[in-house]
Every structure is written in structure tokens, then in C-alpha cells.
Amino acid sequence: MMTLKNSKLVVLALLALFLTPLLAQAEGLIAGQKFKGDKEIVVTFADPVDKAVVENVANYTIYEEPDPDIRLVLETATLSEDGKVASLFFKDALNTAMTHVVNVKGLAGIESTTFKVSKSYLGYLFGIMISALLINNFVFTKYLGLCVFFGTSKKKSTAKGMGVVFTIVMVVSAIMSWFFYNFILIPYNLNFLQIVIFIGLVSLTVQAVDTVLRKVNPVLFNSFGVFLVLVIANCVIIAVPLIVANNNYNIFETFMLALGAGGGFLLALYLMSSVSERMQLANIPPTFKGLPIAFIVAGQFAMAFLGFSGLQIF
């Protein structure tokens, strides 16, 4: 008697047997495919194709690879004059982080042609880093880590040092948290302990950085004061492992997220410290001196960073 597991294997084998010829045909017919913006897919053909077939939206079946039952609505399809480049325009924005499957009927006399559209993985990794660095900057868009941000952003030297320390702690603790989460917490169903474990790992990392700084650069260590201790339970540091756990990132994606988040915090500190040094020479009304003017400047930076919303480099 065939078990449920064997039945699934048979179904997958049949699907692979059915799709392999289609994908092989697509490889010879499709010269390239890519996302363009968030509502367009551009397909390049190896040879000119029939315009009537390409521009008939009824010939297309398009969906995200993990959700084949949810079909995407294609509004229009256009073909270039040379018949080699097709532009597919969609009604709703596409999730370009996901692989999309496109099936076209009657293309080049073939009953059904199937191909996949996805970003390059390297571009995807850099996209994660750029997003954490600029688009979703943890300070200016998520408003995390403000205690350390306002406390150590008065001088450039202190700001740069704290930014570097933050980045190192963030990267090391995020990678350690990823290993603990994937190889200990998940296998033993201890997910409910993730915050406690993550804080413990951050504490270990901060203690190591504390010891090294105390020996290598005592001046920088003294300039940090109590703020180095605050790193242990800082929301920016803890946010990265939590985001990694929620999004099921792998080790490379975790590294890029932590590097981008740390770089974004360093950038925020440096920008704020540059303005703070100039404000010391400015004639600021007594009512606004100190934190009030700092909050105003931070708010202006936050508004400026809104300009990165929707930015897509890769």
C-alpha cells in the first residue's frame, strides 16, 4: 500500500518529468528575463516571436513560486518592434524578492513555455544590506537605539568609534544568534526563549569588545562611558536577530542584514555628530538647547531618509 509520503514523491516526480521539457524549451527560446521596477517584467527572446501571441494577456499564467494557486493579474503586454523584447505590466506591485513563474501558451508554436524570473542572489543580498543601511535605517525610520544615538553623537570621534563597535557587536551577535536559533532553539522547540538567548549572546559579545577596548584603546573606552553597557540590551542589537528569526534568513542574509544595520547606525551617528559640532557654535535659544534641538535635527534627518523609500538598486 502506497503511503502518503510515497504519494508525494510520485507527484513531485511526475511534475518534474512534465516541467523539464518545458523549461528546456524555454532555455532555448528565452534569452533573458528581469524585473523592471515593481510592476514590470521584461523578457528577451532569442528570436523574434509572434506579436499577437505575446500581447494577448489571456495566454499568460503568472504566479510566485511558493504560491502557485495565487495568480497575478497581468494588465498589458507589449512587444518591441524587432519582436525580441516583451514588457509585461501588472496591476499590483510585485514582490521582487520572490521567484516568479511565467507560463505562456502558443509561443513560437510551442503549446506551453514556462520560465522563471528572479533577482540574482548576489543582488538580493546587497539589497538586504542597502535596505538596512538607507531605506529602513534603524534610527531614522524605525526609531531604535535613540538612547545611545543621542548620547554618543556629540563628537565625531566618539560617534565613529561607537558606530564601529556597534557594527562589530551586531554582526558577531547576529551570526551567533543565527546558529543558536537554527541548531538549538528550533530543533528542541525552544523558540519562546529566543529573546533571552539573544540578549545573552549580545552580552557575551559586548563583554569581549569591552575587554579588547580596555586594553587596546583606553581613551576610546573611557569616552563611551556607560553607553557601552547599554549596548547589551539595546533594541537595535536585539532587533537584528529577531528579524532574522522572523524572516528565516540564512547565514549570508543574516550577515548582510547585520552589516547594513550596523553601517546604518554608524552613518546616523556620524551625520548627527557632524551637525552637533556645528550647533555648539550656533546661537540656539536656551529653550531648545540640548535634547530639544537634537530631536528636531534627528527629525529632519528622518524626513530626508524618507527619500530613499522605494529605492531599488539591484
Side-chain angles (χ1 to χ4, degrees):
M1 185 175 179
M2 185 176 292
T3 63
L4 180 61
K5 184 177 181 180
N6 291 334
S7 301
K8 289 182 178 179
L9 291 175
V10 171
V11 171
L12 290 174
L14 291 174
L15 285 173
L17 187 64
F18 175 73
L19 290 175
T20 299
L22 298 179
L23 292 173
Q25 290 175 338
E27 287 180 2
L29 181 62
I30 308 298
Q33 61 279 328
K34 64 178 181 179
F35 293 107
K36 185 177 180 181
D38 59 352
K39 289 188 177 183
E40 182 181 356
I41 290 177
V42 177
V43 183
T44 304
F45 301 102
D47 299 303
V49 293
D50 187 358
K51 184 175 183 179
V53 173
V54 171
E55 295 188 348
N56 185 359
V57 296
N59 291 331
Y60 293 86
T61 302
I62 305 171
Y63 54 87
E64 293 180 1
E65 191 173 36
D67 299 306
D69 296 330
I70 302 176
R71 305 301 168 85
L72 303 178
V73 179
L74 179 64
E75 280 196 329
T76 58
T78 60
L79 187 66
S80 62
E81 293 183 359
D82 61 0
K84 288 188 175 183
V85 180
S87 298
L88 311 180
F89 299 93
F90 294 83
K91 181 179 180 181
D92 301 314
L94 302 172
N95 181 8
T96 55
M98 304 296 294
T99 299
H100 287 61
V101 179
V102 180
N103 179 273
V104 190
K105 296 179 181 177
L107 193 62
I110 302 172
E111 182 179 353
S112 181
T113 303
T114 302
F115 58 92
K116 296 181 179 180
V117 183
S118 62
K119 286 184 175 181
S120 67
Y121 189 63
L122 187 61
Y124 172 64
L125 290 178
F126 276 103
I128 292 176
M129 186 184 71
I130 296 298
S131 176
L133 180 69
L134 298 175
I135 303 169
N136 295 309
N137 186 280
F138 279 41
V139 176
F140 294 136
T141 62
K142 297 181 182 295
Y143 312 112
L144 300 177
L146 296 183
C147 52
V148 178
F149 172 71
F150 286 118
T152 60
S153 59
K154 294 180 176 62
K155 293 182 179 180
K156 288 182 182 179
S157 57
T158 306
K160 288 188 289 186
M162 178 56 83
V164 171
V165 169
F166 240 79
T167 304
I168 294 172
V169 172
M170 204 173 292
V171 170
V172 174
S173 62
I175 292 175
M176 291 172 61
S177 299
W178 182 87
F179 276 103
F180 266 80
Y181 182 75
N182 285 278
F183 296 107
I184 296 178
L185 298 185
I186 291 181
Y188 295 100
N189 295 320
L190 298 174
N191 299 24
F192 60 93
L193 291 175
Q194 62 181 5
I195 294 180
V196 177
I197 297 297
F198 293 162
I199 291 176
L201 293 174
V202 172
S203 301
L204 289 175
T205 309
V206 171
Q207 187 60 47
V209 172
D210 181 284
T211 304
V212 172
L213 272 182
R214 196 188 297 266
K215 297 290 185 182
V216 175
N217 196 335
V219 177
L220 184 61
F221 173 80
N222 292 329
S223 66
F224 288 161
V226 71
F227 297 107
L228 190 60
V229 179
L230 292 177
V231 174
I232 294 176
N234 191 274
C235 47
V236 176
I237 303 288
I238 304 300
V240 173
L242 291 176
I243 292 173
V244 168
N246 289 336
N247 291 281
N248 294 319
Y249 281 165
N250 61 31
I251 186 67
F252 302 109
E253 294 162 355
T254 299
F255 174 77
M256 297 303 280
L257 175 65
L259 186 63
F265 195 80
L266 171 60
L267 176 63
L269 283 175
Y270 187 78
L271 290 174
M272 191 65 187
S273 63
S274 300
V275 176
S276 295
E277 289 184 352
R278 295 178 67 89
M279 286 194 301
Q280 291 176 3
L281 304 176
N283 185 19
I284 300 173
T287 308
F288 289 97
K289 284 185 177 180
L291 275 179
I293 191 65
F295 269 103
I296 292 173
V297 172
Q300 291 176 331
F301 275 126
M303 291 178 64
F305 269 69
L306 284 176
F308 294 114
S309 299
L311 175 68
Q312 288 188 347
I313 299 178
F314 300 98

